[in-house]
Amino acid sequence: MQVVRLASETDFDGWRRAARLLRGADVSPEDALWTVDGGGDLFGQTTEPATAAASFTVPREFVEVAEQVVLHSSGERFALLYRLLWRLANEPNLMHIASDPDVARARDMAGAVSKAIHKMKAFVRFRQVKGADEDTYVAWFEPAHRVAEAAAPFFARRYANMNWSILTPDRCAHWDKVLLTFTPGADPADAPSEDALEDYWRTYYASTFNPARLKVGAMQREMPKRYWRNLPEAGLIPELVKAAEDRTSAMVRQMPSEPNRRVVRQAQRLSRDASFEEGAPTSLEEVVAGVDFCRRCDLWRDATQGVAGEGPAKARLMIVGEQPGDQEDLAGQPFVGPAGKVLDQALAEAGVPRAELYVTNAVKHFRHELRGKRRIHQTPKTSEVTACRWWLDAERRIVRPRVIVALGATAALAVCGKPTPIGKARGHAFQLADQAQGVVTYHPSFLLRVPDAQEKARAYAAFVEDLKFAWNLAA
């Protein structure tokens, strides 16, 4: 019996060297015993060690699968891989036989490891370390397999400007903004239990939870309960699921009321046939009726409905976003989805009453592409923004705001009539052609996508300041 002692549970290089020597010495899988003791000796044997030179090649598919299988938590992984390696000598096409039990088992294990890496990327939650000299973040995570080292480079790229550590029972990863290092496994008590960002995570999750698209089984498959204890937002899930049916019914009940038939007929004719200069709506009721019949670009074909602006007919401040999102398209109202929740929170912190604002979008139909059953947002084309200015200009003439806030590049293009860099333009006002003052700032959806926690906090604070500045300007 040949006993192979590997340096660690994920010692792929050690396994590869030993496997090559064993096969070269014609040691059968039944005569090889694989174990891990962390020592420096590769072989510990009851017979003479394998020392024969080995010269052979294996298919690339085998190496790729083996690198994944070694990370699996199963105790049979090293023996399974050596059995496959042994068989490849006489069955060179073995890895292409999907029905073979050994091949099927190895591929299942490799798939489970890939899934564990994906789950780690999705469900790691960093918490700030109190009292550290520099902002430092620590996360505790319990992956289903030994994937900490495989997933760590992703976090080094995503959170390159943070000092962080990810602690797992098997291996810990550490990043100091320069080097990625690893240490032995840790204990949950070594990680912070909570921090000030917990409330932000909960707000973010609650704002992106769409009750109309809830599928509990699919959600639990994607977010298994074994990960919930590490997720600050997990405590919200039972209540969100419980309230989903009532929230969906409320969305249906809040559909915009039908305008009178005369207004609808007139709006339908004008939205199809009127030139850019003529026939513009003279009331917000006509705008609401008209955008649903608008055929000035092709976005109406795939959208559920047109979404006009919302607010008082005379408002000091108008906020212009990009376009309706998935939830706005279903509800027929602007800014009721995840970006709308962020906008509401920022307005409240800035002391701006949303009820006194007119809120609309540069484009009135949802531009998206289908991926399976999901509708993925796409940025409107310049031609679509230009076509929809007929409606935005009508809203501006009717509402007559003193200040117009453009959220993001698409809104800035629609409001200013030309491309406007957000970073350079934000922080001050400029005169628009209709004598209103223009202010440019970030779109709330951008804030939701910022991956770095510190940068997200800075951008959100700047967003709140821009809204406060615009409101004071409109006073």
Side-chain angles (χ1 to χ4, degrees):
M1 175 67 68
Q2 186 74 60
V3 180
V4 183
R5 304 187 187 281
L6 299 175
S8 72
E9 297 284 0
T10 58
D11 184 11
F12 177 72
D13 290 338
W15 174 86
R16 182 168 56 184
R17 290 195 303 272
R20 181 173 291 275
L21 291 171
L22 289 174
R23 188 175 130 173
D26 204 28
V27 177
S28 69
E30 294 76 16
D31 292 329
L33 178 64
W34 301 86
T35 185
V36 175
D37 69 357
D41 294 332
L42 187 60
F43 289 99
Q45 65 286 329
T46 56
T47 61
E48 290 300 313
T51 57
S55 178
F56 57 85
T57 60
V58 295
R60 178 182 297 178
E61 301 97 298
F62 172 74
V63 177
E64 292 173 349
V65 169
E67 288 175 334
Q68 294 284 86
V69 171
V70 165
L71 305 181
H72 200 277
S73 59
S74 171
E76 66 168 319
R77 62 196 183 284
F78 294 119
L80 171 64
L81 291 177
Y82 183 61
R83 189 160 62 247
L84 285 170
L85 180 67
W86 174 266
R87 293 179 59 192
L88 281 168
N90 298 314
E91 303 173 70
N93 295 318
L94 176 62
M95 296 305 295
H96 297 288
I97 304 175
S99 60
D100 182 89
D102 286 342
V103 174
R105 175 60 177 152
R107 292 197 179 278
D108 284 347
M109 292 169 72
V113 167
S114 294
K115 185 176 181 180
I117 293 173
H118 168 73
K119 297 300 184 187
M120 185 167 179
K121 293 176 181 179
F123 298 134
V124 161
R125 295 291 184 267
F126 288 105
R127 293 181 169 96
Q128 192 168 17
V129 178
K130 295 180 180 179
D133 294 337
E134 190 175 358
D135 283 349
T136 301
Y137 297 83
V138 175
W140 170 259
F141 191 71
E142 298 178 46
H145 304 287
R146 300 178 178 92
V147 297
E149 290 191 49
F154 164 83
F155 293 97
R157 294 190 301 271
R158 176 64 66 87
Y159 303 107
N161 296 322
M162 287 170 47
N163 293 311
W164 56 257
S165 294
I166 300 176
L167 313 182
T168 80
D170 299 299
R171 199 73 167 149
C172 300
H174 311 277
W175 174 254
D176 62 1
K177 302 181 184 177
V178 179
L179 295 176
L180 186 61
T181 56
F182 300 94
T183 58
D187 186 87
D190 296 329
S193 58
E194 61 181 14
D195 71 356
L197 291 176
E198 302 277 306
D199 288 339
Y200 186 88
W201 275 112
R202 295 186 185 98
T203 300
Y204 169 76
Y205 186 80
S207 69
T208 57
F209 187 89
N210 186 349
R213 297 184 180 275
L214 174 64
K215 294 182 179 180
V216 176
M219 183 184 70
Q220 290 183 343
R221 286 193 298 273
E222 181 62 25
M223 185 190 288
K225 286 189 175 182
R226 69 188 305 269
Y227 298 116
W228 285 21
R229 60 181 175 273
N230 299 320
L231 304 177
E233 66 270 28
L236 302 175
I237 294 176
E239 186 61 31
L240 290 172
V241 171
K242 182 179 179 181
E245 185 175 349
D246 291 340
R247 290 181 60 194
T248 303
S249 300
M251 289 173 65
V252 174
R253 290 195 302 270
Q254 291 174 3
M255 293 292 287
S257 59
E258 289 283 340
N260 68 63
R261 295 174 62 185
R262 180 190 63 79
V263 170
V264 170
R265 287 196 299 271
Q266 180 183 7
Q268 183 175 6
R269 180 183 64 80
L270 292 175
S271 62
R272 290 176 182 270
D273 307 322
S275 68
F276 194 86
E277 293 80 12
E278 70 169 323
T282 57
S283 71
L284 294 181
E285 185 182 32
E286 291 178 3
V287 172
V288 171
V291 295
D292 206 28
F293 294 103
C294 185
R295 304 295 184 265
R296 293 177 178 271
C297 71
D298 289 335
L299 292 184
W300 64 274
R301 297 181 185 278
D302 298 320
T304 304
Q305 59 191 311
V307 180
E310 187 176 71
K314 299 299 177 185
R316 290 182 292 163
L317 182 64
M318 173 183 285
I319 291 181
V320 180
E322 180 188 79
Q323 66 167 341
D326 180 70
Q327 293 190 34
E328 288 81 3
D329 175 77
L330 295 173
Q333 295 176 278
F335 284 97
V336 294
K341 300 296 189 300
V342 175
L343 176 62
D344 286 346
Q345 179 179 334
L347 288 172
E349 292 184 24
V352 182
R354 176 163 173 170
E356 297 182 25
L357 312 180
Y358 188 83
V359 182
T360 189
N361 283 295
V363 173
K364 310 304 185 188
H365 286 95
F366 181 30
R367 186 171 193 266
H368 62 276
E369 66 175 357
L370 283 175
R371 294 183 188 171
K373 295 184 178 181
R374 297 179 61 201
R375 301 192 300 175
I376 306 300
H377 162 278
Q378 285 190 311
T379 302
K381 300 177 182 177
T382 300
S383 60
E384 293 160 348
V385 175
T386 301
C388 216
R389 279 189 61 196
W390 196 77
W391 296 107
L392 179 61
D393 286 352
E395 291 174 309
R396 289 168 65 169
R397 284 194 298 270
I398 296 167
V399 178
R400 298 176 62 84
R402 298 178 188 175
V403 178
I404 300 176
V405 179
L407 306 180
T410 300
L413 174 62
V415 171
C416 305
K418 61 181 181 180
T420 304
I422 305 303
K424 294 181 179 179
R426 60 162 300 274
H428 62 272
F430 46 88
Q431 193 76 42
L432 299 172
D434 58 1
Q435 302 308 304
Q437 296 290 307
V439 174
V440 174
T441 187
Y442 305 116
H443 195 285
S445 62
F446 164 77
L447 303 176
L448 291 173
R449 296 193 301 269
V450 176
D452 182 85
Q454 291 176 300
E455 185 59 33
K456 186 190 292 285
R458 283 194 291 267
Y460 179 77
F463 181 58
V464 172
E465 286 302 313
D466 289 342
L467 293 175
K468 187 182 300 183
F469 168 70
W471 181 244
N472 292 334
L473 192 65

